[in-house]
Amino acid sequence: MEEEKMGWGSSLSVPSIQEILRNDSISVPERFIQEEKDRPQLVSENLPDSPEIPVIDFSLLAKGDEDERRKLDLACKEWGFFQISNHGIEKEVLHQMKIAVSTFFQLPLEEKNKFAMAENDIQGFGQAYVVSEEQKLDWNDMIYLKTLPSEIRNFKFWPLTCPGFKEAVDKYSTEVQNVAAEIYANLSILMGLGREGLKELQGEIKQGIRMSIYPSCSRPDLVLGISPHSDGSALTLLLQDDEITALQIKHKESWVNVKPIPDSLVVNVGDAIEILSNGVYKSIEHRAITNEKKDRISIAAFVFPDEEQEIGPLESMVDELHCPRRYRKIKYVDYIRQIMAMKMEGKAHTDIVKLEIK
Ligand SMILES: O=C(O)CCC(=O)C(=O)O
Ligand SMILES: [Fe+2]
């Protein structure tokens, strides 16, 4: 029963890119070659020297600093993305998390397959959003786990054969949740509610973590590490490799690189906050590219509303004259199930909740 309740949908199973590369690390299989219009421009080529995405000092935010909160407001309106410094999560916790993930991906395939996604859920080792045999595949392998609330932590997908994995993920997800909760509380204030307003309306936020490996690729000009999409979460907090620039976001119609700041986290507004804020805060399209030299790991913690909650624009964000209602209400789990059943193409999936504006 419980499992059925947890089901968010399913995905066609896809070959492991790491396994393909183990047999032949030079050729790029047809299914991974993007249509010409979708291929990335490489970092070293002609992406303009992009404006830097905002950096928010988390320690100030946590102290209730109003200037910092205004910076957060602007970042969510104009960029939908920001990096946070001084988040207070110890370096060692970040380090152990990265080690756990790379150790997992070094396991032999048969070991990883023990945690393969079940029929009716996207949890485990595999891919989400693969809905047809013709669909181009992304150059990554990933494992997705729901990590919070803690009642669901002890489930069968924990790769217990991977030493230190559970401990590292437990620790990291708890810490990252505290950071997410503080940002959530600040957004709540900015949206005209009290600090606890969003939580009171929507319940505690939950968390799922997507851990990905993007192996180095002989032809990074032909493939995408992850295709353009926006996140279905409320917020996403991303821990990424300190040295490799790979994440790109859509800003004013162009792709902009998110240059890593060591030990900081990249945060983005997800669809749920876009909907709650009536479109004032933007859930921005993003993608990741690959490189020829080095495998890259990233860890995306998605925080999201309770599945049974309805999400829709907050009354405080709707003003019939200046800011009419832009989205219909939807139960969060129905939103997720519907978008999981689609191939992600940028932000097209958010159309399912958009209202016609007269
Ligand atoms: O690996 C990255 O930089 C992005 C990952 C991402 O966008 C996601 O998992 O939703
Ligand atoms: Fe994403």
Side-chain angles (χ1 to χ4, degrees), residues 81 210 226-227 229-232 236 238 247 268 284 286-287 300 302:
F81 264 83
R210 175 189 165 131
I226 189 166
S227 300
H229 66 281
S230 72
D231 294 341
T236 305
L238 182 82
L247 175 63
N268 63 285
I284 291 294
H286 52 285
R287 68 179 187 186
F302 302 105

PDB file of all heavy atoms in Angstrom, residues 81 210 226-227 229-232 236 238 247 268 284 286-287 300 302, ligand 2:
ATOM      1  N   PHE A  81      17.705  31.638 -10.024  1.00  0.00           N
ATOM      2  CA  PHE A  81      18.890  30.878  -9.579  1.00  0.00           C
ATOM      3  C   PHE A  81      19.782  31.774  -8.743  1.00  0.00           C
ATOM      4  O   PHE A  81      19.911  32.967  -9.036  1.00  0.00           O
ATOM      5  CB  PHE A  81      19.745  30.455 -10.797  1.00  0.00           C
ATOM      6  CG  PHE A  81      19.477  29.060 -11.284  1.00  0.00           C
ATOM      7  CD1 PHE A  81      18.415  28.816 -12.136  1.00  0.00           C
ATOM      8  CD2 PHE A  81      20.297  27.997 -10.914  1.00  0.00           C
ATOM      9  CE1 PHE A  81      18.162  27.534 -12.615  1.00  0.00           C
ATOM     10  CE2 PHE A  81      20.049  26.711 -11.379  1.00  0.00           C
ATOM     11  CZ  PHE A  81      18.983  26.480 -12.232  1.00  0.00           C
ATOM     12  N   ARG A 210      18.644  13.597  -6.155  1.00  0.00           N
ATOM     13  CA  ARG A 210      19.090  12.982  -7.400  1.00  0.00           C
ATOM     14  C   ARG A 210      20.607  13.092  -7.474  1.00  0.00           C
ATOM     15  O   ARG A 210      21.162  14.185  -7.451  1.00  0.00           O
ATOM     16  CB  ARG A 210      18.462  13.711  -8.578  1.00  0.00           C
ATOM     17  CG  ARG A 210      18.973  13.219  -9.911  1.00  0.00           C
ATOM     18  CD  ARG A 210      18.501  14.110 -11.047  1.00  0.00           C
ATOM     19  NE  ARG A 210      19.306  13.805 -12.205  1.00  0.00           N
ATOM     20  CZ  ARG A 210      18.831  13.563 -13.414  1.00  0.00           C
ATOM     21  NH1 ARG A 210      17.564  13.634 -13.651  1.00  0.00           N
ATOM     22  NH2 ARG A 210      19.651  13.279 -14.398  1.00  0.00           N
ATOM     23  N   ILE A 226      22.414  16.797 -19.259  1.00  0.00           N
ATOM     24  CA  ILE A 226      20.985  16.751 -18.920  1.00  0.00           C
ATOM     25  C   ILE A 226      20.282  17.784 -19.797  1.00  0.00           C
ATOM     26  O   ILE A 226      20.749  18.920 -19.936  1.00  0.00           O
ATOM     27  CB  ILE A 226      20.742  16.942 -17.401  1.00  0.00           C
ATOM     28  CG1 ILE A 226      19.277  16.682 -17.036  1.00  0.00           C
ATOM     29  CG2 ILE A 226      21.127  18.320 -16.919  1.00  0.00           C
ATOM     30  CD1 ILE A 226      19.041  16.525 -15.531  1.00  0.00           C
ATOM     31  N   SER A 227      19.199  17.363 -20.438  1.00  0.00           N
ATOM     32  CA  SER A 227      18.479  18.225 -21.387  1.00  0.00           C
ATOM     33  C   SER A 227      17.772  19.367 -20.665  1.00  0.00           C
ATOM     34  O   SER A 227      17.478  19.255 -19.472  1.00  0.00           O
ATOM     35  CB  SER A 227      17.410  17.426 -22.131  1.00  0.00           C
ATOM     36  OG  SER A 227      17.981  16.384 -22.844  1.00  0.00           O
ATOM     37  N   HIS A 229      15.326  21.665 -18.875  1.00  0.00           N
ATOM     38  CA  HIS A 229      14.126  21.352 -18.093  1.00  0.00           C
ATOM     39  C   HIS A 229      14.039  22.380 -16.980  1.00  0.00           C
ATOM     40  O   HIS A 229      15.012  23.063 -16.684  1.00  0.00           O
ATOM     41  CB  HIS A 229      14.241  19.950 -17.462  1.00  0.00           C
ATOM     42  CG  HIS A 229      15.325  19.851 -16.433  1.00  0.00           C
ATOM     43  ND1 HIS A 229      16.665  19.719 -16.771  1.00  0.00           N
ATOM     44  CD2 HIS A 229      15.313  19.908 -15.077  1.00  0.00           C
ATOM     45  CE1 HIS A 229      17.397  19.693 -15.677  1.00  0.00           C
ATOM     46  NE2 HIS A 229      16.605  19.812 -14.621  1.00  0.00           N
ATOM     47  N   SER A 230      12.878  22.484 -16.367  1.00  0.00           N
ATOM     48  CA  SER A 230      12.838  23.172 -15.075  1.00  0.00           C
ATOM     49  C   SER A 230      12.474  22.118 -14.046  1.00  0.00           C
ATOM     50  O   SER A 230      12.002  21.043 -14.401  1.00  0.00           O
ATOM     51  CB  SER A 230      11.838  24.338 -15.095  1.00  0.00           C
ATOM     52  OG  SER A 230      10.507  23.868 -15.109  1.00  0.00           O
ATOM     53  N   ASP A 231      12.729  22.402 -12.778  1.00  0.00           N
ATOM     54  CA  ASP A 231      12.520  21.378 -11.750  1.00  0.00           C
ATOM     55  C   ASP A 231      11.083  21.432 -11.231  1.00  0.00           C
ATOM     56  O   ASP A 231      10.542  22.512 -10.993  1.00  0.00           O
ATOM     57  CB  ASP A 231      13.496  21.579 -10.592  1.00  0.00           C
ATOM     58  CG  ASP A 231      14.948  21.350 -11.020  1.00  0.00           C
ATOM     59  OD1 ASP A 231      15.173  20.714 -12.063  1.00  0.00           O
ATOM     60  OD2 ASP A 231      15.863  21.813 -10.304  1.00  0.00           O
ATOM     61  N   GLY A 232      10.507  20.263 -10.990  1.00  0.00           N
ATOM     62  CA  GLY A 232       9.149  20.202 -10.459  1.00  0.00           C
ATOM     63  C   GLY A 232       9.068  20.465  -8.959  1.00  0.00           C
ATOM     64  O   GLY A 232       7.996  20.520  -8.380  1.00  0.00           O
ATOM     65  N   THR A 236      15.401  23.681  -5.388  1.00  0.00           N
ATOM     66  CA  THR A 236      16.443  22.671  -5.574  1.00  0.00           C
ATOM     67  C   THR A 236      17.758  23.245  -5.066  1.00  0.00           C
ATOM     68  O   THR A 236      18.067  24.403  -5.342  1.00  0.00           O
ATOM     69  CB  THR A 236      16.594  22.290  -7.062  1.00  0.00           C
ATOM     70  OG1 THR A 236      15.330  21.868  -7.568  1.00  0.00           O
ATOM     71  CG2 THR A 236      17.618  21.173  -7.249  1.00  0.00           C
ATOM     72  N   LEU A 238      21.739  22.445  -5.158  1.00  0.00           N
ATOM     73  CA  LEU A 238      22.663  21.608  -5.925  1.00  0.00           C
ATOM     74  C   LEU A 238      24.091  21.730  -5.406  1.00  0.00           C
ATOM     75  O   LEU A 238      24.624  22.823  -5.267  1.00  0.00           O
ATOM     76  CB  LEU A 238      22.625  22.024  -7.400  1.00  0.00           C
ATOM     77  CG  LEU A 238      23.502  21.203  -8.356  1.00  0.00           C
ATOM     78  CD1 LEU A 238      22.794  19.910  -8.757  1.00  0.00           C
ATOM     79  CD2 LEU A 238      23.871  22.004  -9.598  1.00  0.00           C
ATOM     80  N   LEU A 247      26.844  23.380 -15.635  1.00  0.00           N
ATOM     81  CA  LEU A 247      25.450  23.794 -15.512  1.00  0.00           C
ATOM     82  C   LEU A 247      25.247  25.117 -16.241  1.00  0.00           C
ATOM     83  O   LEU A 247      26.062  26.033 -16.104  1.00  0.00           O
ATOM     84  CB  LEU A 247      25.103  23.940 -14.021  1.00  0.00           C
ATOM     85  CG  LEU A 247      23.723  24.485 -13.671  1.00  0.00           C
ATOM     86  CD1 LEU A 247      22.608  23.564 -14.153  1.00  0.00           C
ATOM     87  CD2 LEU A 247      23.598  24.696 -12.164  1.00  0.00           C
ATOM     88  N   ASN A 268      17.922  26.822  -6.894  1.00  0.00           N
ATOM     89  CA  ASN A 268      16.973  27.367  -7.860  1.00  0.00           C
ATOM     90  C   ASN A 268      15.528  27.188  -7.429  1.00  0.00           C
ATOM     91  O   ASN A 268      15.185  26.299  -6.668  1.00  0.00           O
ATOM     92  CB  ASN A 268      17.211  26.831  -9.277  1.00  0.00           C
ATOM     93  CG  ASN A 268      17.032  25.340  -9.424  1.00  0.00           C
ATOM     94  OD1 ASN A 268      17.872  24.553  -9.008  1.00  0.00           O
ATOM     95  ND2 ASN A 268      15.929  24.936 -10.014  1.00  0.00           N
ATOM     96  N   ILE A 284      13.388  28.381 -13.614  1.00  0.00           N
ATOM     97  CA  ILE A 284      14.114  28.652 -14.852  1.00  0.00           C
ATOM     98  C   ILE A 284      14.610  27.364 -15.507  1.00  0.00           C
ATOM     99  O   ILE A 284      15.008  26.418 -14.849  1.00  0.00           O
ATOM    100  CB  ILE A 284      15.312  29.598 -14.533  1.00  0.00           C
ATOM    101  CG1 ILE A 284      14.793  30.991 -14.144  1.00  0.00           C
ATOM    102  CG2 ILE A 284      16.301  29.680 -15.671  1.00  0.00           C
ATOM    103  CD1 ILE A 284      14.096  31.735 -15.245  1.00  0.00           C
ATOM    104  N   HIS A 286      17.103  24.984 -17.282  1.00  0.00           N
ATOM    105  CA  HIS A 286      18.547  24.776 -17.178  1.00  0.00           C
ATOM    106  C   HIS A 286      18.940  23.451 -17.813  1.00  0.00           C
ATOM    107  O   HIS A 286      18.079  22.604 -18.083  1.00  0.00           O
ATOM    108  CB  HIS A 286      19.008  24.850 -15.710  1.00  0.00           C
ATOM    109  CG  HIS A 286      18.249  23.960 -14.768  1.00  0.00           C
ATOM    110  ND1 HIS A 286      16.967  24.248 -14.334  1.00  0.00           N
ATOM    111  CD2 HIS A 286      18.566  22.784 -14.174  1.00  0.00           C
ATOM    112  CE1 HIS A 286      16.551  23.298 -13.514  1.00  0.00           C
ATOM    113  NE2 HIS A 286      17.504  22.374 -13.407  1.00  0.00           N
ATOM    114  N   ARG A 287      20.218  23.281 -18.053  1.00  0.00           N
ATOM    115  CA  ARG A 287      20.735  22.044 -18.647  1.00  0.00           C
ATOM    116  C   ARG A 287      22.171  21.879 -18.187  1.00  0.00           C
ATOM    117  O   ARG A 287      22.751  22.796 -17.585  1.00  0.00           O
ATOM    118  CB  ARG A 287      20.670  22.135 -20.180  1.00  0.00           C
ATOM    119  CG  ARG A 287      21.639  23.150 -20.761  1.00  0.00           C
ATOM    120  CD  ARG A 287      21.585  23.226 -22.273  1.00  0.00           C
ATOM    121  NE  ARG A 287      22.648  24.084 -22.786  1.00  0.00           N
ATOM    122  CZ  ARG A 287      22.789  24.429 -24.060  1.00  0.00           C
ATOM    123  NH1 ARG A 287      21.927  24.006 -24.957  1.00  0.00           N
ATOM    124  NH2 ARG A 287      23.799  25.196 -24.429  1.00  0.00           N
ATOM    125  N   ALA A 300      21.598  16.823  -6.543  1.00  0.00           N
ATOM    126  CA  ALA A 300      20.499  17.791  -6.495  1.00  0.00           C
ATOM    127  C   ALA A 300      19.514  17.370  -5.409  1.00  0.00           C
ATOM    128  O   ALA A 300      18.923  16.301  -5.491  1.00  0.00           O
ATOM    129  CB  ALA A 300      19.805  17.873  -7.846  1.00  0.00           C
ATOM    130  N   PHE A 302      16.041  18.036  -4.025  1.00  0.00           N
ATOM    131  CA  PHE A 302      14.776  18.682  -4.376  1.00  0.00           C
ATOM    132  C   PHE A 302      13.919  18.739  -3.129  1.00  0.00           C
ATOM    133  O   PHE A 302      13.643  17.706  -2.528  1.00  0.00           O
ATOM    134  CB  PHE A 302      14.023  17.861  -5.423  1.00  0.00           C
ATOM    135  CG  PHE A 302      14.797  17.621  -6.689  1.00  0.00           C
ATOM    136  CD1 PHE A 302      15.348  16.389  -6.962  1.00  0.00           C
ATOM    137  CD2 PHE A 302      14.975  18.648  -7.606  1.00  0.00           C
ATOM    138  CE1 PHE A 302      16.065  16.165  -8.129  1.00  0.00           C
ATOM    139  CE2 PHE A 302      15.688  18.435  -8.781  1.00  0.00           C
ATOM    140  CZ  PHE A 302      16.235  17.186  -9.041  1.00  0.00           C
TER     141      PHE A 302
HETATM  142 FE    FE B   2      17.269  20.443 -12.671  1.00  0.00          FE
END
